[in-house]
Amino acid sequence: MHKMIGRIGLVALVMLGGFFITNTPAHAATNLITNGNLETAMTTDAARPQGWTSSYWGTITGKFTYPVAGKGGGKAAQVLVTKYTSGDAKWYFNHVAVTPGTPYQFSEDYTATVATNITAEFKLSNGTYSYVWLGDAPASTAWKTFSVTVTPPAGAVSVSIMHALQKVGTLTTDNFSLTSGTTTPPTPPVATSTPIAKPVIASFIATPASILVGSSSVLSWNVAQASSTSINQNIGIVSGTSKAVNPTQTMVYVLTATNPGGSSYATTTVTVTTPPAPPVATSTPTSTPSGNLVKNGNLETAMTTDAARPQGWTSSYWGTITGKFTYPVAGKGGGKAAQVLVTKYTSGDAKWAFDHIPVSSNTVYQFTEDYMSNVVSNVTVEFLMSDNTYQYLWIADPASTNNAWSSISSQITVPQGAVSMTILHALVKVGTLTIDNVSVVALPSNPFPQGMVTLAFDDGLLSQYQNARPILNTAGIKGGYYIITTEPASGDSEYMTWAQIKTLKTEGNEVGGHTRTHADLTALTASQATAEIKGSYDDLVAQGLTPKAFVYPLGAVNPSVEQLVKNAGYTVARGSYWGFNTPTSDKYDLYDIRLDNTTTFAAAKAWIDQAISDKRWLVLELHDVLASGGDEYAITPALFQQIVSYIKSSGIKPVTLEQGLGYMQ
């Protein structure tokens, strides 16, 4: 069965505050993971355990096997990687609901011929995902147990835990357990071994909070139990209780207080305004786009106290990695640039990042960068939220440029509650990455006439016809259905027939292409990709269904694939990047937000409300609509009914992809 695999790689990971690792085993309690011991196979696919998914990303060759012999003779799941360049391969259980701030005990038995990586994937209430590295499990040919205590961050609604193979080798996993509550801590070895509490930040304020450019503000704080305190924006370690600052643009300051028990954070903002220029008699009102929000984005200015670092930038790494940061190196056109070199790699990443810049969820931002690399890298947005947690949004895995300059560009939609962001272009393997001319520009508001929403159904699944179609017909709303064109005649009962698909078209819905076999188009040759794309177009035409819209399987797209979609005759296409669309978005790579079994009505309502408020175009990606069962991408008819009813009552304009295209520039 063709299903979309999550597009976010496990390379944009950080330790979040409130997450702890222990070596104590889980206590006996109710296991939240369905089929955690992997004993039950799917009734429709005996090669897959019920409630589990196998997936990979990157350039990797391997094999997933189930069942194999588990610990004690039961069943287990195995992944074998025979060729590796980038990415990972893993089995993982369907997301389970969790409560933010509540500790959960996770344990798992495994054998592995190489060191592996274990990461928690949190689904947040606003539809984004947050990733937390749990640890690197050492190689072990005998069964070994990995155990940690996991505390979900603020906004988390569900979690899955991914034990990933990131090199040539074999990994077998069994007996996954996630239980609510922590174990009883071991008796301290000595009376003085009392756990150390994290620092307490009682206050962190800016006085005044708003200044004219050229003026100063004083940051002041009240911190207890800290061994050190520091402030971002190139301030560094601070002592005392105050610090004068002279920002030239609106700035978000983050105070970090640290001791052996951990770190605490607080933020404050200094708003900087520029007095209007005196009027000139001949002046004509004009409007100009906002400038680059990244201070020293071209990296030409070095720090006055450290010539080996550009002003307003930080180098950092995590994981088991050996490398070197170098500045300056030759940039594009002969100026200065920053470089990171990785010589040994097991896990983690290394990157340069600019200081956080303030952002608004009412604004769409355009990110551009010049880069040069000899391997695939990773670009992820890091958002600082108003509750002092961090969220991460994957942008792309830029290909190797063979050490020639290239560029990357993407529009960024800011989630509600974000106060600032930076962009992390990370090296995640042995190689070299050089970056230059980094720009983040707030796009002109230039909204649509009103907010719009599209209900986009991938794959052509029968449940969409049986369960979603009646709800839409009753509401008088049209949707879009994007078909894997070899399935209608395959006899697979999970997919619609051509007769049903034609009924959808007759009723006024959009029918579009989703390739012939749901292939990752970026992993194919040009002729193979053409056969998938043009073949799907021709299959639909042969049924009397001339398509205009196309959806990329797995969200996998690059400029070459976009051109093949244009050549085939499609006029609009949708990817799987999280966000809202503007009139200037890429017509052949529209943003969307995917609904799945962790989506709440409150989250969907918030997205619709944001589209209405900002006059943006929201594309909701859907798969199965089932009362029970299904994989992690299924939603219930009850939730779908709530969403459709709210669309109807809210006044937002429902459009298909082709109709929405008519409002774009």
Side-chain angles (χ1 to χ4, degrees), residues 262-287:
S263 297
S264 299
Y265 307 90
T267 63
T268 190
T269 301
V270 177
T271 302
V272 180
T273 58
T274 302
V280 179
T282 58
S283 64
T284 302
T286 60
S287 61

Side-chain angles (χ1 to χ4, degrees), residues 66-259:
Y66 173 84
V68 297
K71 184 177 181 180
K75 297 178 182 178
Q78 185 179 89
V79 55
L80 165 68
V81 171
T82 55
K83 293 183 181 179
Y84 181 86
T85 302
S86 66
D88 65 44
K90 66 271 184 185
W91 288 93
Y92 57 96
F93 56 86
N94 290 349
H95 267 241
V96 298
V98 292
T99 302
T102 298
Y104 293 82
Q105 192 71 19
F106 170 73
S107 68
E108 169 206 353
D109 295 325
Y110 76 95
T111 65
T113 59
V114 294
T116 50
N117 172 278
I118 302 177
T119 297
E121 177 186 75
F122 292 104
K123 172 73 177 292
L124 304 180
S125 58
N126 64 0
T128 63
Y129 290 83
S130 182
Y131 292 84
V132 176
W133 173 71
L134 305 187
D136 291 327
S140 176
T141 56
W143 284 102
K144 189 177 181 66
T145 300
F146 180 91
S147 179
V148 297
T149 300
V150 182
T151 302
V157 295
S158 66
V159 69
S160 184
I161 295 176
M162 301 175 175
H163 193 162
L165 193 56
Q166 297 176 309
K167 59 184 70 175
V168 172
T170 304
L171 168 67
T172 306
T173 56
D174 196 6
N175 299 325
F176 282 69
S177 174
L178 185 71
T179 58
S180 179
T182 56
T183 58
T184 302
T187 303
V190 293
T192 58
S193 62
T194 303
I196 300 173
K198 292 193 296 183
V200 176
I201 302 177
S203 64
F204 181 44
I205 61 173
T207 308
S210 298
I211 62 173
L212 293 176
V213 66
S215 301
S216 62
S217 179
V218 175
L219 307 179
S220 57
W221 55 89
N222 183 353
V223 177
Q225 303 173 26
S227 55
S228 68
T229 52
S230 63
I231 300 175
N232 66 336
Q233 310 296 6
N234 291 318
I235 295 175
I237 300 295
V238 291
S239 58
T241 59
S242 64
K243 173 73 175 178
V245 293
N246 301 89
T248 58
Q249 63 181 18
T250 298
M251 196 71 67
V252 177
Y253 293 95
V254 181
L255 175 71
T256 303
T258 302
N259 68 17

